[in-house]
Each structure stands twice: as C-alpha cells, then as structure tokens.
C-alpha cells in the first residue's frame, strides 16, 4: 500500500516536525524537490516553475551541491530556497548519532558557502531517530511532507503519479517530488500538469523560507 497522504498517526508521533504549513489567506502549495541538484532534470524543474512564477524548496544532497555548484547557484538566482538533505543521503536509522550530525553539518557548510543561512533539514527516506531529532531540532527546522508524489517509485506510472498527487493536495500542503534520475519520467510528466492545475485554480507556490 502506497500512502500519498501522510497518515495522521505518523504526524501525531512526531509533532515537533513540520508536516504542512499554516493556511494563509491565499491558497498556497509548498513544492519540495529532494536529492539534487543534478544536470538536466533540475533545470527542467526550474523552467517549469518559472512558467508559473512558482517558487520551491530544494532539499539538496551535499555531494551533489559540491559537484553541481553552477546549478545550485541557478536555483538560488531564480528565487528558490536550498535546504539540507545530509551530505551523503544517509539513513538516520542506520547511522551513528555522531556521524549523522556531522553529515548534516557538512551539507550545511556547502549551503552556507552558497549564501543560504536558514537551517532547514529533511532527513533522507524520512528516517531519523528520536535522539537525532532532539539534537538537531535546536538548530534546524525539520521538514517532512504532507503529500508524497511517489515519483521515484518504479511501481507508479506518470498518469497515476499526477492524479494521486492532485487528489490529496490541499491548501498548506508540503508536496514532495525528486530531482533524481529515478523519478525523471514521472516528474517530467506530472510536475508541469500539477503546477498548471493548481495555478489555474488560483493557488500560489512558495518556498518554506518565508523571510
Ligand atoms: Zn532523498
């Protein structure tokens, strides 16, 4: 069973994490893209967002930031936010406490070199221990998601990815896509149609970094 909408029970277990955003006066969606930046797909996403004046948050893997610095700068210059997805895309449940914290810091150093001062973290796979949360929450806003597009899954096709993601997205939703080659076919089909659909309904698309 594939949950596109994060079940309430999961949120209830982790109330200190951010699962969605408060509803403002205008309907708003918070698009997020995990795992990049990478050549090709990240630029496709940026071009798609520009067509609708949509802004988004990119949760970057530190080693990809290092390899693809020009693309990362392009993301910032086009008004989006870069955020932390650890340096090596680590699974918190399988990583020692010290190593995990150090890896988050390494990614944050790359972000700071690019001028991103805000500390916003999404744990890869959504897997982070209570102890890691307790340490990191002092400095970081830890952001999960409300809507999972499932774009990376080989079990989902582009039309289902689009339809299911549209179906469960509401005002204030944090929606997760990937700038990862595993997700490319689904993202290239679903993202432009998703943004167009909600744009025509009057929604705006904002980054998680409000100031
Ligand atoms: Zn990831």
């Amino acid at each position: 069973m594939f949950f596109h909408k994060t079940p309430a029970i999961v949120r209830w277990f982790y109330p200190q994490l951010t699962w969605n955003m408060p509803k403002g006066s205008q309907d708003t969606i918070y698009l997020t893209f995990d795992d990049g930046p990478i050549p090709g797909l990240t630029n496709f996403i940026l071009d798609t967002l520009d067509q609708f004046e949509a802004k988004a948050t990119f949760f970057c893997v530190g080693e990809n930031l290092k390899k693809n610095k020009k693309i990362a700068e392009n993301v910032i210059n086009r008004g989006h936010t870069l955020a932390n997805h650890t340096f090596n895309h680590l699974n918190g449940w399988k990583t020692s406490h010290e190593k995990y914290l150090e890896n988050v810091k390494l990614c944050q150093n790359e972000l700071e070199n690019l001028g991103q001062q805000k500390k916003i973290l999404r744990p890869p796979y959504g897997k982070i221990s209570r102890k890691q949360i307790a340490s990191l929450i002092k400095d970081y806003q830890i952001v999960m998601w409300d809507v999972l597009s499932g774009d990376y899954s080989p079990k989902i096709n582009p039309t289902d990815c689009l339809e299911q993601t549209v179906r469960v997205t509401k005002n204030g939703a944090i929606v997760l896509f990937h700038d990862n080659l595993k997700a490319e076919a689904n993202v290239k089909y679903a993202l432009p149609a998703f943004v167009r659909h909600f744009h025509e309904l009057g929604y705006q698309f904002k980054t998680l970094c409000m100031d």
Side-chain angles (χ1 to χ4, degrees):
M1 173 82 204
F2 195 97
F3 289 107
H4 284 271
K5 175 95 180 156
T6 304
I9 186 90
V10 179
R11 299 159 190 253
W12 183 79
F13 271 119
Y14 297 98
Q16 68 276 59
L17 309 184
T18 303
W19 295 95
N20 53 9
M21 296 295 277
K23 293 179 177 65
S25 51
Q26 188 181 351
D27 287 342
T28 306
I29 291 168
Y30 299 85
L31 285 171
T32 62
F33 298 92
D34 285 11
D35 299 355
I38 56 165
L41 186 55
T42 303
N43 282 321
F44 171 87
I45 292 168
L46 292 174
D47 289 345
T48 302
L49 297 175
D50 274 0
Q51 282 175 41
F52 300 96
E53 291 177 36
K55 302 299 178 212
T57 304
F58 290 75
F59 286 94
C60 299
V61 173
E63 55 185 347
N64 286 342
L65 280 173
K66 216 166 177 166
K67 270 190 288 196
N68 302 306
K69 206 169 169 194
K70 283 269 176 297
I71 305 172
E73 286 167 354
N74 196 10
V75 175
I76 297 171
N77 291 338
R78 287 159 87 164
H80 308 288
T81 297
L82 297 181
N84 194 320
H85 200 44
T86 77
F87 193 86
N88 296 108
H89 204 262
L90 296 185
N91 177 339
W93 295 356
K94 293 184 177 166
T95 309
S96 76
H97 188 66
E98 295 311 320
K99 185 169 181 204
Y100 194 79
L101 299 194
E102 185 188 295
N103 209 262
V104 168
K105 179 74 182 118
L106 275 177
C107 181
Q108 198 61 35
N109 291 345
E110 294 297 325
L111 292 167
E112 281 169 18
N113 289 340
L114 288 156
Q116 299 285 281
Q117 302 303 331
K118 271 261 179 161
K119 293 185 168 176
I120 309 174
L121 168 70
R122 174 174 284 155
Y125 317 100
K127 290 179 176 169
I128 182 166
S129 71
R130 288 198 179 274
K131 191 175 170 192
Q132 290 158 356
I133 292 172
S135 292
L136 290 164
I137 203 89
K138 295 172 201 155
D139 296 316
Y140 290 84
Q141 181 186 7
I142 304 177
V143 177
M144 306 300 262
W145 56 85
D146 185 35
V147 175
L148 194 61
S149 68
D151 56 358
Y152 61 91
S153 171
K155 292 182 187 147
I156 196 164
N157 65 48
T159 42
D160 284 347
C161 176
L162 172 63
E163 281 172 20
Q164 299 299 320
T165 308
V166 165
R167 187 175 60 84
V168 296
T169 298
K170 303 274 184 292
N171 183 17
I174 297 173
V175 181
L176 169 53
F177 284 96
H178 287 82
D179 46 346
N180 181 317
L181 291 179
K182 277 192 270 182
E184 186 166 21
N186 284 329
V187 169
K188 284 193 164 171
Y189 177 82
L191 182 70
F194 178 90
V195 180
R196 182 176 301 113
H197 173 83
F198 284 101
H199 177 79
E200 284 171 359
L201 290 173
Y203 280 70
Q204 59 178 350
F205 295 84
K206 289 167 79 169
T207 84
L208 293 164
C209 188
M210 306 298 278
D211 44 47

